[in-house]
Amino acid sequence: MKKLWKGLLFSAGSAVAASAGGTAYFYRRTMKRCHAKMERTMKMAGTDWNQYMPLLKERKEYMLSRPHEDVCIESEDGLKLHGVYFPGEGDSKKIVICLHGYTSQCMSDFVGLSDYYLKHGFQMLLIDERAHGQSEGEYVGFGCLDRKDLLRWVEWTLLRCGEGIQILLHGISMGGATVLMSSGLDLPEQIKGIISDCGFTSPKYVFTHVLHTMYHLPAFPMIPLSDKINRKKAGYGLDECNAAREVRKAKVPILLIHGDADHFVPCWMCDEIYENCASEKKKLIVKGAAHAESYFKDMKSYEQALDDFIGGIIK
């Protein structure tokens, strides 16, 4: 009997140790800046970007030929945050603030869309979210912290461009979640609309989806343990801010875009956010588009959706 109990205790101890070790490994490679790698994220997302490289190269050259400058602000917790500002030409009274996806940076995710915005007379502010690009930070904010940083960028925009500026918020993936999470905040009247491309509900649910579909692992105990660690180290819970809950308080119009072949951030998250959204809302589901691929998969429909949405809210 003693041998049986010893065996059971050993097995239980081994299971606890394995869970703790697995959680620590998952947490480090996902939440800590030094371990979160773009190459791994791109592989997991599964989008074939090679086919779009000639177009991206052409548009990046055009984008960088336009006047632009590096700008910096400070977050409320003392981090230096970096962005790139494109003032546009003439006396433009409209600007889009662009937020990139997880492990990306400001001058990557909006190269394709820059063609649309610059040619439609928008100024652009592309920001490096905390713990990304040239912005400081040890832990990824996953929108929960970045939404507060976004308010600081809005303040900078109003100071730089004046009170008469009309502002769009456009985010992709983690940036899409960030702009949706900001919809529940007290936003200034200059923010006229929010566009989210393949945004998720919360880090808790996108992590759970990835564990189930890509690693064939249960959420328990890894997600609860990671949540506890993250509260202590990064200062927020993994479901503390949820885009599907925040949009219930939204007052500005929202356009949701998602690909129905997105296996990284599933399309049902877009549907859930749409159903919960309290403000004026529109939705575009792009057939056959993988994660963050919607614009390139069906540029015509994407730009038409932007025209219809922006035309109704910005003069």
Side-chain angles (χ1 to χ4, degrees), residues 140-314:
V140 179
F142 274 104
C144 301
L145 300 180
D146 307 281
R147 66 179 186 148
K148 297 178 182 178
D149 299 337
L150 177 56
L151 288 185
R152 289 293 181 99
W153 282 113
V154 171
E155 291 173 4
W156 178 92
T157 300
L158 294 176
L159 287 172
R160 180 63 179 264
C161 302
E163 297 290 325
I165 195 72
Q166 300 176 89
I167 303 172
L168 275 181
L169 307 178
H170 192 152
I172 296 175
S173 192
M174 186 179 77
T178 302
V179 295
L180 292 172
M181 290 175 181
S182 75
S183 69
L185 300 174
D186 186 17
L187 301 176
E189 63 181 9
Q190 288 85 355
I191 295 180
K192 302 301 182 182
I194 291 172
I195 302 165
S196 173
D197 184 338
C198 63
F200 51 76
T201 52
S202 76
K204 173 185 176 180
Y205 289 106
V206 79
F207 294 165
T208 298
H209 172 75
V210 168
L211 284 174
H212 285 167
T213 60
M214 299 185 183
Y215 293 97
H216 308 293
L217 292 171
F220 184 86
M222 198 172 291
I223 296 298
L225 288 173
S226 295
D227 180 79
K228 186 175 182 179
I229 296 169
N230 204 57
R231 288 179 185 275
K232 181 177 180 180
K233 292 185 176 293
Y236 69 95
L238 298 182
D239 194 44
E240 183 176 306
C241 188
N242 185 306
R245 292 197 300 266
E246 293 304 307
V247 295
R248 295 172 188 168
K249 299 176 279 185
K251 295 181 175 63
V252 300
I254 292 177
L255 170 62
L256 298 169
I257 302 171
H258 219 106
D260 71 355
D262 189 338
H263 303 299
F264 193 45
V265 176
C267 198
W268 63 257
M269 290 192 177
C270 178
D271 295 332
E272 181 180 345
I273 293 165
Y274 183 83
E275 291 302 319
N276 279 276
C277 184
S279 63
E280 179 186 339
K281 57 192 177 183
K282 294 179 182 290
K283 179 169 64 172
L284 171 67
I285 303 299
V286 179
K287 293 186 180 299
H291 187 64
E293 190 188 19
S294 291
Y295 178 69
F296 302 94
K297 195 72 173 180
D298 190 349
M299 200 174 296
K300 182 178 179 181
S301 295
Y302 198 113
E303 293 192 351
Q304 186 62 57
L306 291 180
D307 286 343
D308 294 342
F309 180 71
I310 295 170
I313 58 177
I314 287 185

Side-chain angles (χ1 to χ4, degrees), residues 27-38 40 79-82 100 102-105 128-142:
Y27 184 82
R28 282 196 306 271
R29 64 190 261 131
T30 304
M31 303 302 297
K32 290 200 72 174
R33 177 191 196 126
C34 57
H35 294 290
K37 304 298 183 184
M38 179 184 290
R40 185 167 63 240
L79 297 177
K80 180 182 176 182
L81 303 175
H82 167 264
H100 60 77
Y102 174 61
T103 67
S104 189
Q105 56 185 320
D128 279 331
E129 297 187 60
R130 61 171 54 213
H132 289 78
Q134 296 181 48
S135 288
E136 294 179 342
E138 183 179 1
Y139 294 97
V140 179
F142 274 104

Side-chain angles (χ1 to χ4, degrees), residues 7-116:
L8 290 172
L9 289 172
F10 177 79
S11 297
S14 298
V16 170
S19 294
T23 300
Y25 175 73
F26 168 77
Y27 184 82
R28 282 196 306 271
R29 64 190 261 131
T30 304
M31 303 302 297
K32 290 200 72 174
R33 177 191 196 126
C34 57
H35 294 290
K37 304 298 183 184
M38 179 184 290
E39 295 79 11
R40 185 167 63 240
T41 304
M42 292 177 69
K43 183 178 180 180
M44 292 171 67
T47 307
D48 177 15
W49 290 108
N50 289 327
Q51 60 186 312
Y52 304 120
M53 284 305 169
L55 175 65
L56 288 168
K57 181 180 179 182
E58 177 186 329
R59 293 199 172 180
K60 188 171 185 178
E61 289 175 356
Y62 170 74
M63 186 181 188
L64 293 177
S65 72
R66 308 292 287 266
H68 60 280
E69 60 184 278
D70 290 285
V71 293
C72 291
I73 63 169
E74 187 174 297
S75 69
E76 66 176 27
D77 53 348
L79 297 177
K80 180 182 176 182
L81 303 175
H82 167 264
V84 180
Y85 172 55
F86 289 78
E89 298 175 355
D91 188 25
S92 173
K93 290 300 181 183
K94 53 188 181 180
I95 187 170
V96 57
I97 302 178
C98 304
L99 289 84
H100 60 77
Y102 174 61
T103 67
S104 189
Q105 56 185 320
C106 69
M107 288 298 293
S108 294
D109 289 5
F110 283 84
V111 169
L113 278 161
S114 67
D115 185 77
Y116 175 87

